[in-house]
Amino acid sequence: MFFDTKESFKQAFVETLRSNYGKSIEQATDVEKFLTLASLVKAHANSNVYKTNTYLEKQAAKKMYYFSLEFLLGRLLTNNLMNLGLYKVVQEGLADFGIDLNTLEDIESDAGLGNGGLGRLAACFLDSLATLHLPGNGNTIRYQYGLFKQLITNNEQVEVPDQWLRYGNAWETRHPDEAVKVKFYGDVRITMNYETGRLNFEHVNAQEVLAVPYDMPVVGADTKCTNVLRMWSAEASDNFPADQDFIKYLNSINKICLNVYPDDSTVEGKYIRIKQEYFFIAAGLGSIVREHLKQNPNLDNFAEKVCIQLNDTHPAMSVAELMRIFLDEYNYEWDKAWSIVSKVFAYTNHTVMQEALEKWPVEYIRTLLPRVYTIIEEINRRFRETVYNQSHDRDLVERTAIIQDNQVKMAHLSIVGSFSVNGVAKLHSKILVEDLFRDFFNLMPEKFNNKTNGITQRRWLLYSNPELTNLLEKTIGPEFKHDFTQIEKLEQYIDDKKLQEAFLKVKYQRKLALCRFLKDNYQIEVDPNSIFDTQAKRLHAYKRQLLNILHVIYLYQRIKQYPTFTMPKTTFLFGAKAAPAYVLAKKIIKLINCVAEKVDNDPVASKFIKVVFIPNYRVTVAEYLMNASDVSEQISTAGKEASGTGNMKFMMNGAITLGTLDGANVEISERVGLENCEIFGLKANEIENMRSTYSSVDYYKQDARIKQAVDSLLDGTFSSVQDDFIDIYNDLIIRNDEYFVLADFAAYVKAHEHINALYSDRSAWARLCLLNIAKSAYFSSDRTILDYVRDVWHIKAIDNSKLK
Ligand code: 26Y
């Protein structure tokens, strides 16, 4: 039911509650109220989807599709209400009924369909696309469970299912009539068509799975343009051989969409992952091709109408699958098909870590996808030939091959099959062309480009930090809310003492909000007058949460040893999930929690420091955490963090970056000035040069502070369990500290001391924070999206006035 005023909302709310649940406001539960409200908002959004699609059909417009195994959307109610301009109407309407909108907002679970940065980036991109009224839709899996919910029990991470669908997903619409059939296993039957002289390839004896789409509207801010996130769910197909065990079949189908990144350390796990990857791209491509053919006589102009962004290599099989569709279903010749298909895909790399570069055994792909495999083989054969003809260098042919050593290299398939390859920050893109993909860069330099990441300032500033937004609006006017480049105007006011004071007040209010959140949800008490020093991101050795906690241990030891020791009171906040099978990462979580406990129980140490590990870090936690922080810990080993996007969220909310020259920190420090952030440690090239000669033991022996902190891992200070942290100790000392934690330790201590000195001058500190905010325009995902549009996607913005 449509509404746009308080009164029409109230009427719609009461009537819908009655028709959906047969209840009055007094009788309905909070969950029913939330679902009713969401259904009204969804109806609003879907009517805009209709307007958007009708317009796009008329224009025969080119569309971009973002193929990603992850979309970390978080909650959507506030975001959608704000973007639709309905927040106030709803808030006031509900208040008339005695209902607090915040209570309903808190009922929604995070849509946690992903694991980290890559997934949140995808969500920010969707928000910017719709807001800039650009035709860009998402394509992913409708997972039954999110990554996992993290509990901390006895200081350790415990994983329990993340039941994000418990109350249903209020935003989705199921479209069973738009299902696509996806085939696994079976054989390839090759027959000769004597009329055309062509060979026909058919995938036979396959196991068929039905991919059913669920669409979620993606609402832009202040525009009717509304895109769609299409999530695919696997269901049983009617086409099932009667002689087979159907329970087995159902079980195998259920596993496809069961959860995010099933453990791939077993053979079965690997099969499920490959199934997931093929499932969502085959379904996505099937529906895109079908749409295209509704409006076009054939696929000849497919690349003019469709562009597909591959979010890392997880959707890389798209290249081969689209070739299959062209060859087998629409009888294209290879060369013509390839000339079109190779103009459709663009690939973004998000990591240089070797273990995250996907390689699948040939046998697995051949077994699961026999026809697609033969196409990958042919792409590989032709590419090897091209490289050889171009270079006459057999080593180069081997190094760049798609299939090599009985493995399919998904990054190579993505590069060969895409017209654009990009990294996600300047330094990262440089490392791609100079190191990781150097051979490819030499062969095809025109494909490579950089697109520095960004974040949506709507979720991460305007909506989650209303206090700062008001202050900014009072200072520079409201324009920055629509055009974030205007935030630069703030720079002229950063010396204004009144503004500085007002900023500190806002920061204090945000700290109080975080304190309340921690108290209500986790019974954790934090002093809002302390420095909030935060590291929030996935737990990984290269991100070096270990460096952070070793520094806290060092502080603890100083406090215990020197009665005169003093420092500004600091709360060290951590938020991090570790992959369930990542033993070292889980130990580091335990260490952080054990240090937290030790400090809490120490009357002297707890006067100066507090360590907080916030369980189950997710988008909703980040919305409280980022804007309450003073110091943003971005301390990865230089050269390892592709970009980071948390760093941008902190900066935009007035926190100072304490970081290495890695990922987007480089660009943050360039924009804000080296003197206005705290950069420390070895640089990427220095790390590379040191790699062969580095000896962590030397640092351990030569720096008494390091020795004392590291020794405490073994002497029972933080755990009464014998050898509890020996893995961490061994990693640093026996396995030579792969991520140079000890090499950067001294510089890190100094950086903290410098930060403390800066913080003590409150006016100078506030000035720094304001300058950081003023310089954050570049890190808006609106800017990133416009860069992609200009260089890669070439899609056109919708004329908003025509969406009626
Ligand atoms: C191995 C495979 C299953 C896999 C799964 C997930 C490999 C990688 C990933 C996720 C990678 C990821 O999230 N990368 C992050 O992407 C962000 C957005 O570009 C970057 O800001 C961040 O530095 C990078 O770590």
Side-chain angles (χ1 to χ4, degrees):
M1 217 185 280
F2 189 78
F3 69 90
D4 54 3
T5 62
K6 187 170 94 171
E7 289 315 315
S8 58
F9 164 68
K10 284 168 69 177
Q11 192 187 346
F13 188 69
V14 172
E15 283 177 21
T16 311
L17 203 51
R18 211 175 289 166
S19 58
N20 280 359
Y21 296 101
K23 290 188 181 176
S24 68
I25 288 181
E26 293 70 33
Q27 292 164 331
T29 64
D30 282 348
V31 170
E32 287 163 342
K33 289 176 202 159
F34 162 73
L35 291 172
T36 299
L37 173 58
S39 75
L40 290 171
V41 180
K42 176 179 126 180
H44 220 293
N46 278 348
S47 90
N48 290 345
V49 168
Y50 159 76
K51 288 170 194 160
T52 307
N53 284 342
T54 310
Y55 170 93
L56 290 171
E57 260 172 42
K58 232 190 241 154
Q59 301 284 316
K62 182 177 187 184
K63 293 187 193 166
M64 188 281 294
Y65 296 86
Y66 203 78
F67 276 27
S68 176
L69 261 192
E70 300 186 33
F71 282 89
L72 269 181
L73 300 169
R75 292 172 174 174
L76 289 170
L77 180 60
T78 314
N79 188 73
N80 287 349
L81 282 172
M82 291 274 194
N83 276 4
L84 284 165
L86 293 171
Y87 195 86
K88 234 175 139 211
V89 161
V90 167
Q91 189 179 35
E92 290 173 2
L94 289 174
D96 283 358
F97 295 131
I99 303 170
D100 181 355
L101 176 53
N102 291 329
T103 312
L104 302 193
E105 286 167 331
D106 279 341
I107 288 185
E108 186 172 4
S109 15
D110 279 35
L113 310 181
N115 115 74
L118 164 160
R120 184 52 230 175
L121 184 77
C124 284
F125 280 6
L126 289 186
D127 182 74
S128 286
L129 279 160
T131 300
L132 297 168
H133 22 105
L134 288 159
N137 298 320
N139 188 68
T140 191
I141 291 179
R142 183 178 181 273
Y143 300 100
Q144 215 175 327
Y145 298 92
L147 187 65
F148 61 83
K149 189 171 158 193
Q150 179 195 54
L151 306 179
I152 300 295
T153 309
N154 297 329
N155 292 330
E156 290 179 25
Q157 166 173 304
V158 176
E159 302 99 33
V160 297
D162 167 27
Q163 309 207 36
W164 78 289
L165 288 172
R166 173 167 290 154
Y167 302 131
N169 173 11
W171 306 106
E172 69 190 12
T173 306
R174 174 182 156 91
H175 292 282
D177 46 331
E178 293 181 44
V180 174
K181 291 170 180 160
V182 178
K183 291 179 180 175
F184 294 108
Y185 304 104
D187 316 289
V188 182
R189 184 195 290 151
I190 308 174
T191 47
M192 182 72 168
N193 182 333
Y194 290 102
E195 268 167 42
T196 60
R198 276 179 52 129
L199 291 177
N200 273 346
F201 293 84
E202 238 183 310
H203 187 175
V204 295
N205 304 323
Q207 183 192 79
E208 199 173 281
V209 176
L210 202 62
V212 179
Y214 289 69
D215 288 351
M216 299 232 265
V218 180
V219 173
D222 307 314
T223 169
K224 290 209 172 82
C225 174
T226 305
N227 293 321
V228 168
L229 170 59
R230 179 154 269 203
M231 306 183 295
W232 294 97
S233 182
E235 296 186 13
S237 160
D238 291 338
N239 224 345
F240 178 72
D243 60 339
Q244 284 182 25
D245 181 344
F246 90 100
I247 292 293
K248 241 184 171 168
Y249 170 66
L250 291 183
N251 281 338
S252 78
I253 287 177
N254 287 343
K255 282 187 187 150
I256 299 177
C257 301
L258 194 63
N259 66 335
V260 181
Y261 296 121
D263 175 19
D264 68 350
S265 58
T266 62
V267 174
E268 199 212 346
K270 284 194 177 65
Y271 270 97
I272 296 175
R273 267 274 286 295
I274 302 172
K275 267 192 190 175
Q276 287 193 328
E277 294 185 354
Y278 180 71
F279 171 76
F280 93 105
I281 64 96
L285 288 171
S287 81
I288 293 168
V289 166
R290 191 165 56 196
E291 277 304 300
H292 180 87
L293 291 174
K294 274 190 200 157
Q295 293 192 53
N296 300 277
N298 54 45
L299 297 174
D300 288 0
N301 63 344
F302 193 74
E304 289 146 44
K305 300 294 176 190
V306 173
C307 175
I308 296 175
Q309 190 68 36
L310 305 174
N311 203 21
D312 219 286
T313 57
H314 319 143
M317 276 182 291
S318 297
V319 174
E321 171 64 9
L322 191 58
M323 280 301 284
R324 189 196 66 73
I325 294 174
F326 271 68
L327 299 172
D328 297 0
E329 294 184 17
Y330 297 97
N331 297 317
Y332 278 77
E333 298 291 338
W334 183 282
D335 288 334
K336 181 153 187 212
W338 184 253
S339 76
I340 300 169
V341 168
S342 58
K343 291 190 188 80
V344 170
F345 298 103
Y347 156 57
T348 305
N349 170 282
H350 294 268
T351 179
V352 298
M353 303 298 291
Q354 273 307 326
E355 65 267 28
L357 292 176
E358 289 187 298
K359 297 182 197 87
W360 298 118
V362 159
E363 187 201 327
Y364 295 11
I365 297 197
R366 195 166 44 201
T367 308
L368 207 52
L369 305 163
R371 175 58 179 145
V372 168
Y373 179 70
T374 62
I375 293 172
I376 296 177
E377 238 179 1
E378 182 61 11
I379 298 173
N380 176 54
R381 190 188 66 74
R382 287 172 181 247
F383 183 64
R384 281 172 170 263
E385 205 172 85
T386 310
V387 175
Y388 185 75
N389 291 341
Q390 210 173 314
S391 66
H392 295 280
D393 178 345
R394 291 204 184 278
D395 287 343
L396 179 67
V397 172
E398 288 310 313
R399 290 201 303 273
T400 54
I402 296 168
I403 303 175
Q404 210 249 341
D405 219 4
N406 261 317
Q407 292 198 310
V408 182
K409 298 185 169 171
M410 305 312 267
H412 296 191
L413 176 60
S414 305
I415 298 172
V416 173
S418 298
F419 67 87
S420 163
V421 178
N422 75 282
V424 290
K426 215 163 67 175
L427 174 66
H428 170 58
S429 295
K430 183 166 176 276
I431 292 172
L432 291 188
V433 299
E434 288 179 0
D435 185 4
L436 194 65
F437 297 150
R438 186 181 50 225
D439 290 330
F440 287 97
F441 177 68
N442 290 335
L443 287 165
M444 40 187 93
E446 69 288 348
K447 284 192 185 183
F448 286 81
N449 63 92
N450 172 55
K451 293 288 165 285
T452 298
N453 283 342
I455 56 161
T456 166
Q457 70 277 8
R458 285 166 290 279
R459 180 175 289 263
W460 295 109
L461 169 58
L462 305 183
Y463 306 159
S464 52
N465 195 348
E467 295 87 348
L468 181 56
T469 303
N470 286 340
L471 179 62
L472 293 171
E473 187 170 350
K474 266 206 291 197
T475 312
I476 58 170
E479 293 81 16
F480 79 99
K481 296 208 264 185
H482 306 285
D483 168 9
F484 201 62
T485 61
Q486 302 289 320
I487 196 77
E488 291 264 354
K489 285 197 259 177
L490 186 64
E491 190 176 356
Q492 27 181 334
Y493 303 102
I494 60 173
D495 290 308
D496 177 342
K497 298 277 178 225
K498 280 223 174 77
L499 177 65
Q500 292 170 359
E501 262 170 44
F503 170 76
L504 294 175
K505 223 181 240 163
V506 162
K507 185 59 85 179
Y508 187 72
Q509 283 167 340
R510 293 313 308 170
K511 287 185 178 184
L512 290 180
L514 175 63
C515 289
R516 266 195 307 275
F517 178 82
L518 294 176
K519 181 107 208 304
D520 293 349
N521 292 282
Y522 305 107
Q523 295 77 50
I524 298 174
E525 301 234 23
V526 173
D527 178 358
N529 289 305
S530 58
I531 300 179
F532 283 19
D533 177 304
T534 307
Q535 187 171 16
K537 47 183 84 251
R538 284 304 295 265
L539 211 136
H540 200 292
Y542 83 79
K543 295 179 189 279
R544 299 201 296 193
Q545 283 94 349
L546 182 54
L547 175 59
N548 189 341
I549 198 65
L550 277 179
H551 172 253
V552 176
I553 291 175
Y554 152 78
L555 291 175
Y556 171 79
Q557 292 172 335
R558 290 269 120 163
I559 296 166
K560 299 297 284 177
Q561 277 156 28
Y562 300 93
T564 55
F565 177 88
T566 187
M567 62 177 277
K569 185 163 185 196
T570 306
T571 304
F572 294 93
L573 296 134
F574 292 85
K577 286 182 181 174
Y582 193 170
V583 177
L584 182 68
K586 288 177 133 177
K587 271 294 177 204
I588 294 170
I589 290 181
K590 181 165 191 189
L591 177 62
I592 296 169
N593 280 290
C594 287
V595 173
E597 192 176 8
K598 187 84 186 169
V599 171
D600 271 348
N601 291 328
D602 188 303
V604 183
S606 57
K607 281 202 189 99
F608 295 102
I609 51 182
K610 163 121 189 144
V611 179
V612 175
F613 187 94
I614 306 172
N616 203 28
Y617 179 61
R618 60 195 184 282
V619 172
T620 297
V621 170
E623 285 166 7
Y624 285 96
L625 186 56
M626 305 293 196
N627 60 43
S629 297
D630 301 300
V631 181
S632 157
E633 297 265 359
Q634 308 299 337
I635 59 177
S636 50
T637 314
K640 295 296 176 201
E641 187 69 270
S643 160
T645 45
N647 44 8
M648 303 169 185
K649 294 163 199 164
F650 284 105
M651 177 196 198
M652 214 176 259
N653 284 281
I656 307 305
T657 306
L658 168 50
T660 49
L661 278 181
D662 198 16
N665 299 351
V666 175
E667 286 152 274
I668 288 179
S669 68
E670 276 171 10
R671 284 190 158 68
V672 83
L674 275 173
E675 65 288 8
N676 298 313
C677 50
E678 192 61 41
I679 297 297
F680 75 97
L682 293 161
K683 300 184 182 51
N685 61 330
E686 292 170 340
I687 297 265
E688 281 324 303
N689 294 339
M690 263 174 82
R691 198 167 285 287
S692 57
T693 54
Y694 180 55
S695 164
S696 62
V697 179
D698 292 349
Y699 287 82
Y700 170 82
K701 285 189 184 147
Q702 282 157 23
D703 189 331
R705 301 168 302 178
I706 294 180
K707 183 166 188 311
Q708 203 183 357
V710 171
D711 285 349
S712 78
L713 298 174
L714 297 186
D715 68 9
T717 311
F718 298 107
S719 171
S720 52
V721 178
Q722 177 91 31
D723 290 341
D724 210 359
F725 300 122
I726 196 160
D727 281 353
I728 303 179
Y729 178 92
N730 286 345
D731 198 69
L732 290 172
I733 305 300
I734 311 292
R735 283 190 292 276
N736 201 27
D737 182 19
E738 190 181 349
Y739 295 106
F740 295 82
V741 172
L742 303 190
D744 271 342
F745 184 84
Y748 186 57
V749 172
K750 258 209 180 124
H752 268 289
E753 285 165 359
H754 192 229
I755 283 268
N756 289 349
L758 289 174
Y759 189 84
S760 65
D761 181 344
R762 303 306 290 134
S763 152
W765 180 266
R767 184 185 173 281
L768 272 189
C769 298
L770 289 164
L771 186 61
N772 270 271
I773 299 168
K775 295 293 186 186
S776 67
Y778 185 76
F779 302 103
S780 161
S781 47
D782 293 354
R783 189 273 311 153
T784 313
I785 288 296
L786 292 174
D787 285 354
Y788 275 101
V789 169
R790 186 192 58 220
D791 300 341
V792 185
W793 300 335
H794 306 295
I795 46 176
K796 284 208 180 66
I798 292 171
D799 179 350
N800 211 13
S801 68
K802 299 220 168 92
L803 294 184
K804 296 227 171 76

